């Protein structure tokens, strides 16, 4: 929302009408009285100008505000990016759409707060509180005139005593009414005079909300633009470095040699599955042809990928499972094996999630980043469980043993994948998927972007 600099003269007039030179206890009633009508007009004008700055209608919830925002429409391009042959351009456009979508949501949340915390109080001031004072002022003037008329009529009367007594009663009745409205009107004026700080806080809150909104938007853009530039500016030499052996290599070695943050098989397989496999029943559970999986693994090892060659999502899922299983150390590490089970053993959900967060912080940053990337994708996949039959529990059953196993050698390690301890892994992996947004709050990695675009009818157009 643009700052309304052009209306500062109106705001100045409003503040002047609320801020006389002398202390409030010395304000004469007639001075306060003179400020009510200008303050009402100023509040009405500012309210109207603020409404003109909004990009959505009043009374809408965040979601409905968001979808009517120009930023939201900018995030939903009217074509399918999968037909763009330039992979770099496609990824940049996808990230831009995600960022615009997030900004639309941020703006909707800001405008909703602005409506509740500034516009509604300001409207109440201009349309209820101050008009009530002006109404009492008008009534006070009328009853004052009625009392004067009754008094003059009584003083001028020369009729019978009974008539004069009746006129005196009218004077007394008019005076009682006048006293009553005078007390109410005086109380209104005093209340108005002493509410200066509260009225000023409306505008302080406006500035605070703007500062918070712009800071959040700036921080979000800065983080994601940095990530986008790093991804976009990868040199050919870095790409060539990634063409060494991938399967069976330690995660850290592969990431260091390739200059990447996310392992090639994880990132490439997730990218392909997001385009072709999200509605595929039994993904990660049903096996693909061994030859197709082997061919995809060879392509990933060689660093030469053509997504259009691999159309079977089960083969892609198989290649991803194979990469995780062939890591010399599980993605969730040997060292934290017992820590994961201890965290999963907590009875209360809140305690369990807190313990998971503690264990996640112990992971090496490389493992954490790749686990976060993968789990957010799996969470995205589980959102389509009504179609693909892959709930968080089902995903954890088929994929969990490939993420965590004890430090054993040779056949013992393979046997463990079918043992009771692998069943226990489900109790670890399922909540990671189910509560990924809480456990991985960063929200800046591609899976959350793709999930948003795919399942909200965005640019991927795969549904």
């Amino acid at each position: 929302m643009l700052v309304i600099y052009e209306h500062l003269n109106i705001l100045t007039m409003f503040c002047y009408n609320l801020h006389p030179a002398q202390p409030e206890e010395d304000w004469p009633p007639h001075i306060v009285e003179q400020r009510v009508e200008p303050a009402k007009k100023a509040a009405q004008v500012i309210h109207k100008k603020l409404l003109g700055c909004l990009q959505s209608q009043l009374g809408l919830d965040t979601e409905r505000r968001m979808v009517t925002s120009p930023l939201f429409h900018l995030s939903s391009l009217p074509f399918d990016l999968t037909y763009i042959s330039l992979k770099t351009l496609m990824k940049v456009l996808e990230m831009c759409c995600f960022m615009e979508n997030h900004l639309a949501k941020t703006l909707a949340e800001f405008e909703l707060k602005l409506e509740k915390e500034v516009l509604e109080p300001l409207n109440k001031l201009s349309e209820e509180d101050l008009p009530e004072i002006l109404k009492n002022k008008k009534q006070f003037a009328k009853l004052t005139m009625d009392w004067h008329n009754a008094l003059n009529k009584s003083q001028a009367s020369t009729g019978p005593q009974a008539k004069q007594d009746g006129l005196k009663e009218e004077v007394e009745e008019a005076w009682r009414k006048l006293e009553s409205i005078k007390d109410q009107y005086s109380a209104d004026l005093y209340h108005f005079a002493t509410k200066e700080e509260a009225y000023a806080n409306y505008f302080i809150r406006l500035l605070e909300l703007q500062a918070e909104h712009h800071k959040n938007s700036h921080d979000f853009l800065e983080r994601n633009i940095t990530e986008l530039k790093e991804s976009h500016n990868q040199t050919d030499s870095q790409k060539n470095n990634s063409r060494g052996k991938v399967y069976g290599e330690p995660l850290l070695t592969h990431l260091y040699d390739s200059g990447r943050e996310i392992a090639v098989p994880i990132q490439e397989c997730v990218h392909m599955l997001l385009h072709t496999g999200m509605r595929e029943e039994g993904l990660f559970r049903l096996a693909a042809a061994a030859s197709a999986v082997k061919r995809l693994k060879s392509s990933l090892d060689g660093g030469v990928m053509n997504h259009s060659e691999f159309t079977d999502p089960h083969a892609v899922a198989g290649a991803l499972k194979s990469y995780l299983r062939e890591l010399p150390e599980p993605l969730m590490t040997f060292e934290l094996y017992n820590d994961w089970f201890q965290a999963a053993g907590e009875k209360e959900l809140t305690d369990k999630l807190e313990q998971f967060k503690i264990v996640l912080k112990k992971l090496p940053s490389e493992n954490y980043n790749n686990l976060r990337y993968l789990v957010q994708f799996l969470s995205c996949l589980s959102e389509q469980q009504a179609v693909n039959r892959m709930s968080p529990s089902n995903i954890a059953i088929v994929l969990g043993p490939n993420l965590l196993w004890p430090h054993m050698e040779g056949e013992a390690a393979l046997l463990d994948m079918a043992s009771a301890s692998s069943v226990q892994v489900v109790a670890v992996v399922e909540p990671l998927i189910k509560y990924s947004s809480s456990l991985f709050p960063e929200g800046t990695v591609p899976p959350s972007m793709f999930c948003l675009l795919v399942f909200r009818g965005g640019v991927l157009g795969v549904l």
Side-chain angles (χ1 to χ4, degrees):
M1 177 181 165
L2 298 176
V3 180
I4 51 172
Y5 294 109
E6 65 269 25
H7 306 303
L8 281 178
N9 58 326
I10 300 172
L11 181 57
T12 302
M13 177 180 69
F14 183 81
C15 294
Y16 172 79
N17 286 310
L18 294 177
H19 189 47
Q22 60 266 56
E24 63 183 42
E25 62 269 16
D26 297 332
W27 294 352
H30 71 279
I31 295 296
V32 179
E33 187 178 54
Q34 293 171 5
R35 303 181 186 280
V36 177
E37 182 64 35
K40 173 177 174 289
K41 291 181 179 178
Q44 287 175 328
V45 171
I46 295 171
H47 182 271
K48 180 179 179 181
K49 297 299 182 182
L50 282 174
L51 284 179
C53 294
L54 298 182
Q55 294 191 21
S56 59
Q57 297 179 0
L58 292 179
L60 300 181
D61 58 23
T62 301
E63 191 70 23
R64 293 172 66 193
R65 288 175 189 270
M66 176 181 170
V67 299
T68 59
S69 167
L71 289 173
F72 179 81
H73 294 300
L74 182 60
S75 74
S76 304
L77 298 179
F79 52 83
D80 187 349
L81 290 182
T82 58
Y83 293 105
I84 297 179
S85 59
L86 299 176
K87 183 177 178 181
T88 300
L89 176 59
M90 180 180 72
K91 288 187 174 180
V92 170
L93 284 175
E94 286 175 342
M95 192 62 178
C96 287
C97 289
F98 162 68
M99 292 165 68
E100 295 295 345
N101 194 296
H102 182 87
L103 291 175
K105 182 179 180 181
T106 302
L107 178 62
E109 292 171 346
F110 160 68
E111 291 193 351
L112 184 60
K113 287 183 179 179
L114 182 67
E115 178 181 341
K116 299 297 183 184
E117 300 181 32
V118 178
L119 286 172
E120 288 183 0
L122 199 60
N123 186 62
K124 183 175 183 297
L125 174 66
S126 63
E127 301 302 325
E128 296 180 22
D129 297 346
L130 297 183
E132 182 65 22
I133 297 176
L134 294 173
K135 175 184 174 183
N136 288 337
K137 175 185 177 181
K138 184 177 180 180
Q139 183 70 3
F140 177 69
K142 177 182 180 299
L143 292 177
T144 300
M145 182 176 294
D146 290 346
W147 175 72
H148 278 296
N149 290 337
L151 182 61
N152 291 336
K153 187 176 179 181
S154 175
Q155 291 175 345
S157 175
T158 57
Q161 186 62 38
K163 181 179 180 180
Q164 293 184 24
D165 291 343
L167 292 174
K168 286 181 180 180
E169 290 180 1
E170 290 181 8
V171 172
E172 291 174 356
E173 179 63 22
W175 177 254
R176 281 193 297 271
K177 291 180 180 180
L178 180 59
E179 280 288 298
S180 176
I181 194 63
K182 185 189 77 169
D183 292 342
Q184 180 61 49
Y185 184 44
S186 298
D188 288 343
L189 292 178
Y190 177 79
H191 179 74
F192 170 73
T194 56
K195 290 283 286 184
E196 175 191 1
E197 183 175 347
Y199 300 149
N201 281 337
Y202 298 158
F203 302 99
I204 294 175
R205 187 58 184 149
L206 166 64
L207 298 175
E208 288 176 342
L209 289 173
Q210 287 180 306
E212 177 185 350
H213 166 63
H214 291 304
K215 182 180 185 301
N216 289 343
S217 298
H218 175 269
D219 291 347
F220 170 80
L221 287 170
E222 189 172 49
R223 286 195 309 271
N224 285 274
I225 289 173
T226 299
E227 180 182 334
L228 184 60
K229 285 182 176 179
E230 289 175 354
S231 174
H232 180 60
N233 293 332
Q234 282 186 328
T235 63
D236 291 337
S237 61
Q238 287 176 318
K239 293 179 181 178
N240 290 334
N241 286 338
S242 69
R243 294 178 184 177
K245 182 174 170 56
V246 176
Y247 279 79
E249 287 294 304
L251 177 66
L252 185 59
T253 300
H254 165 55
L255 296 178
Y256 178 80
D257 290 344
S258 63
R260 303 174 69 100
E261 181 179 343
I262 307 300
V264 170
I266 296 178
Q267 189 167 40
E268 293 294 337
C269 290
V270 164
H271 187 76
M272 287 188 282
L273 291 174
L274 282 163
H275 281 79
T276 63
M278 303 306 288
R279 298 173 67 87
E280 189 71 23
E281 184 174 344
L283 196 68
F284 292 108
R285 179 172 56 81
L286 300 178
S291 59
V293 176
K294 183 178 180 179
R295 187 161 55 91
L296 176 53
K297 289 173 63 176
S298 297
S299 295
L300 291 168
D301 259 338
V304 181
M305 280 297 303
N306 184 350
H307 291 186
S308 62
E309 293 181 10
F310 303 100
T311 57
D312 181 5
H314 295 289
V316 179
L320 177 54
K321 284 177 66 177
S322 181
Y323 173 74
L324 296 171
R325 184 170 58 249
E326 294 177 26
L327 284 172
E329 180 177 14
L331 190 59
M332 296 170 72
T333 74
F334 290 133
E335 183 181 353
L336 298 176
Y337 183 80
N338 291 327
D339 293 29
W340 288 115
F341 289 125
Q342 289 176 3
E346 293 288 344
K347 301 299 182 184
E348 295 294 331
L349 178 60
T350 303
D351 296 335
K352 181 181 296 188
L353 295 182
E354 284 303 314
Q355 289 303 311
F356 274 135
K357 290 178 182 179
I358 292 173
V359 182
L360 285 168
K361 288 181 180 179
K362 295 180 182 179
L363 279 173
S365 60
E366 297 80 11
N367 295 67
Y368 176 84
N369 290 334
N370 281 266
L371 181 64
R372 177 184 66 179
Y373 190 104
L374 178 62
V375 168
Q376 288 184 329
F377 158 69
L378 297 176
S379 175
C380 186
L381 177 66
S382 70
E383 291 181 10
Q384 293 294 295
Q385 60 184 284
V387 178
N388 60 35
R389 304 289 188 250
M390 296 306 293
S391 65
S393 176
N394 289 339
I395 295 172
I397 290 171
V398 297
L399 206 57
N402 300 289
L403 293 171
L404 183 63
W405 63 84
H407 197 180
M408 297 180 181
E409 299 293 337
E411 293 183 2
L414 295 176
L415 290 173
D416 183 76
M417 287 192 172
S419 69
S421 63
S422 67
V423 176
Q424 295 171 358
V425 170
V426 176
V428 175
V429 177
E430 181 182 0
L432 290 182
I433 299 171
K434 193 172 182 180
Y435 302 103
S436 64
S437 60
S438 173
L439 296 172
F440 302 97
E442 295 84 353
T444 60
V445 295
S448 60
M449 170 187 72
F450 285 122
C451 188
L452 182 67
L453 292 173
V454 170
F455 296 120
R456 289 192 180 176
V459 299
L460 296 181
V462 299
L463 298 181

